Amino acid sequence: MERVVFGLILMLLLTGMLLSAFIIQPAKAEWTGTVYIRADGSIDPPYAPIITYDNITYTLTDNITSSADGIVVERDNIVIDGAGYTLEGTGAEGSKGIDLSGRRNVTVQNTRIKNFCYGIWLAYSSNNSVSGNNVANNWSGIGLSGSSNNNIGRNHIANNYYGIWLSSSSNNIIYHNNFINNSVQAKGYSQSANTWDDGYPSGGNYWSDYVGVDLFSGPYQSETGSDGVGDAAHEIYADNRDRYPLMAPFNTFDAGTWNGTAYNVDVVSNSTVSNFQLNTAQRTMSFNVTGVEGTAVFCRITIPNIIVEELWHGNYTVLLNGEPWPYRNWTDTANTYIYLNYTHSEHQIVIIPEFPSAIIPPIFMTFSILAIIFTRKRFPKNFKT
């Protein structure tokens, strides 16, 4: 009898294990709804996928979908970090991915925003920063109304109806963005005069519909040779122009903290740029470039001067696939610019230290002396054949 009971229990246990193995767990659903960051710093609803420890920096922890607005901000002086997550709407009329109406000193960064009426909306807002976001497939990409003194940079703004839309909005700084295949790249109304570039050689924005050429260097086309900046201004709308449009998309990479300040390295290239690495121990900077086989392309690297001095003491060599490669370079008060051409397949670009020319003769003399000593030891004077 005991054997029968034991057998039944064992059979039940095995059956349960088999059944549990075949139970299909439901996929985790993306969070749906509108999130409010209230004026007192609280998150509403509190279980939404955003976390804050100090009521200053708010970080997404998952994607958010919404049939209305995505995130409505009611608090000033904060940072919203998307951490690479996505806000996705349904294209509802008037919907906003991130609503910054009436806000001051809010930073929105590292967020993917798509399928809203307005990706990011600023109405009567000032001194805000919109940086490092991917804003695509909305109706404005970014919309400003009655807003001034905002900084909009390092964003990828693509495949919207309006890339950026401004009404009665002046004194905004808008550069180092990629405007790609928007039906209307930028549109302004009611005396919206803004700054669209950072001067030369830093440059302005990349416009996929820019038809100019790059045959000269310098702001006044004073020197023959390409520099990654268009030779003619890009006319945007009345009284608004990008004086120094970029000839290829703008990429930015985190270069770490130097003397207590965070810096980026920027790459303008019609290659796909990936695998950026900065090795302070080996004093090297590297990344990969890929593209359609056989096409002629360029790469312009912008490196903060503090990094150039700390890593290479101002002396460096550029390698393409391990071989020294010709390049042009120039500097301004903030950055060093390195420009090179090549033909596509997949390449690795590496920047390494270079011996200053002043120490090359002593090194040569040292090796010469060592070679003479070695020769004398190997073949003494009285050696006869």
Side-chain angles (χ1 to χ4, degrees), residues 218-234:
Y220 305 106
Q221 302 182 9
S222 57
E223 180 183 347
T224 301
S226 300
D227 57 3
V229 176
D231 295 338
H234 179 65

Side-chain angles (χ1 to χ4, degrees), residues 195-378:
T195 299
W196 296 85
D197 63 72
D198 191 31
Y200 183 87
S202 180
N205 302 277
Y206 171 67
W207 307 89
S208 61
D209 57 347
Y210 177 66
V211 294
V213 296
D214 177 19
L215 301 176
F216 299 95
S217 298
Y220 305 106
Q221 302 182 9
S222 57
E223 180 183 347
T224 301
S226 300
D227 57 3
V229 176
D231 295 338
H234 179 65
E235 303 295 335
I236 302 170
Y237 54 85
D239 300 321
N240 284 259
R241 56 167 48 187
D242 184 341
R243 298 173 300 166
Y244 306 110
L246 303 176
M247 294 300 296
F250 183 94
N251 305 269
T252 189
F253 301 97
D254 180 8
T257 300
W258 301 76
N259 288 349
T261 302
Y263 287 94
N264 296 306
V265 169
D266 301 323
V267 180
V268 174
S269 179
N270 40 11
S271 298
T272 298
V273 182
S274 62
N275 197 30
F276 175 87
Q277 297 183 31
L278 195 158
N279 190 316
T280 55
Q282 297 182 4
R283 298 195 295 157
T284 62
M285 181 181 296
S286 64
F287 54 88
N288 297 336
V289 289
T290 56
V292 177
E293 185 82 22
T295 55
V297 291
F298 78 91
C299 181
R300 191 187 81 164
I301 312 157
T302 303
I303 309 172
N305 287 334
I306 187 173
I307 298 178
V308 175
E309 290 301 321
E310 290 283 340
L311 288 184
W312 309 307
H313 305 296
N315 297 283
Y316 49 85
T317 293
V318 178
L319 306 178
L320 187 75
N321 300 332
E323 298 293 331
W325 199 255
Y327 64 89
R328 301 173 60 237
N329 63 336
W330 57 99
T331 63
D332 59 19
T333 57
N335 299 302
T336 291
Y337 303 84
I338 300 173
Y339 181 95
L340 61 153
N341 297 96
Y342 48 89
T343 300
H344 259 151
S345 58
E346 182 172 357
H347 303 299
Q348 184 186 49
I349 295 174
V350 183
I351 306 174
I352 63 173
E354 178 182 66
F355 285 120
S357 58
I359 71 170
I360 291 177
I363 291 174
F364 178 77
M365 290 177 63
T366 300
F367 277 105
S368 298
I369 292 169
L370 290 172
I372 292 169
I373 293 171
F374 176 78
T375 302
R376 286 183 175 178
K377 285 184 176 180
R378 189 173 181 184

